Amino acid sequence: MTELMIFNEVIEQNSVPFTALIDQEGQYINGKWVLGKPTEVPMAGIILPLNNDDLKYIESGVYTVKEKKLYVVDPIKIDTKVKYKGDTYTVQSFKDLTDFTDVHIYLMRYQGTGGGGEQNV
């Protein structure tokens, strides 16, 4: 079996802060299901714009310049909302290289500015 390429130090040295909005379990209140409010969890990772090669080989649709790549060592659940520089993104799968490296690479799909208002682009 191939040894993993370890990039933990590279990620730590070049990371920027962002906030993950982790959904909490809902509950029944007076017989109605009420969704849990997301908890803001501070995280750090490398955030980069998509490059031409990324756009060329994407299978899952059209992307804009507002989408970003996220490199982190700790995995993030798909569909997690992320706040970065005042914008809200949704984490989607992108490239699974975990057979070779300790880095998880995700696509952050742009959702809008501010408080997380959904906006398709």
Side-chain angles (χ1 to χ4, degrees):
M1 181 163 172
T2 308
E3 270 191 55
L4 289 179
M5 293 182 281
I6 305 300
F7 289 103
N8 187 24
E9 283 187 38
V10 174
I11 300 290
E12 286 179 12
Q13 291 173 357
N14 297 288
S15 66
V16 295
F18 65 91
T19 302
L21 303 173
I22 306 300
D23 288 329
Q24 299 300 312
E25 289 242 359
Q27 60 182 335
Y28 284 100
I29 299 177
N30 297 326
K32 284 190 168 189
W33 181 255
V34 177
L35 293 175
K37 294 189 180 197
T39 300
E40 293 190 0
V41 177
M43 298 185 81
I46 297 175
I47 297 176
L48 298 172
L50 299 180
N51 62 36
N52 288 337
D53 286 339
D54 296 328
L55 295 171
K56 186 191 239 180
Y57 296 107
I58 294 297
E59 300 172 4
S60 55
V62 177
Y63 295 106
T64 71
V65 294
K66 294 186 178 189
E67 270 73 48
K68 308 250 184 258
K69 287 186 289 188
L70 172 63
Y71 294 75
V72 291
V73 174
D74 296 321
I76 298 175
K77 185 178 173 186
I78 301 300
D79 293 329
T80 297
K81 299 282 188 233
V82 167
K83 287 185 182 179
Y84 174 67
K85 288 190 173 181
D87 291 331
T88 302
Y89 299 86
T90 301
V91 173
Q92 296 182 341
S93 62
F94 192 52
K95 293 181 181 176
D96 184 2
L97 302 176
T98 54
D99 288 341
F100 311 103
T101 180
D102 62 336
V103 176
H104 298 270
I105 304 172
Y106 298 101
L107 172 76
M108 294 195 327
R109 184 68 106 153
Y110 180 75
Q111 296 300 307
T113 302
E118 297 294 317
Q119 171 182 327
N120 292 330
V121 289

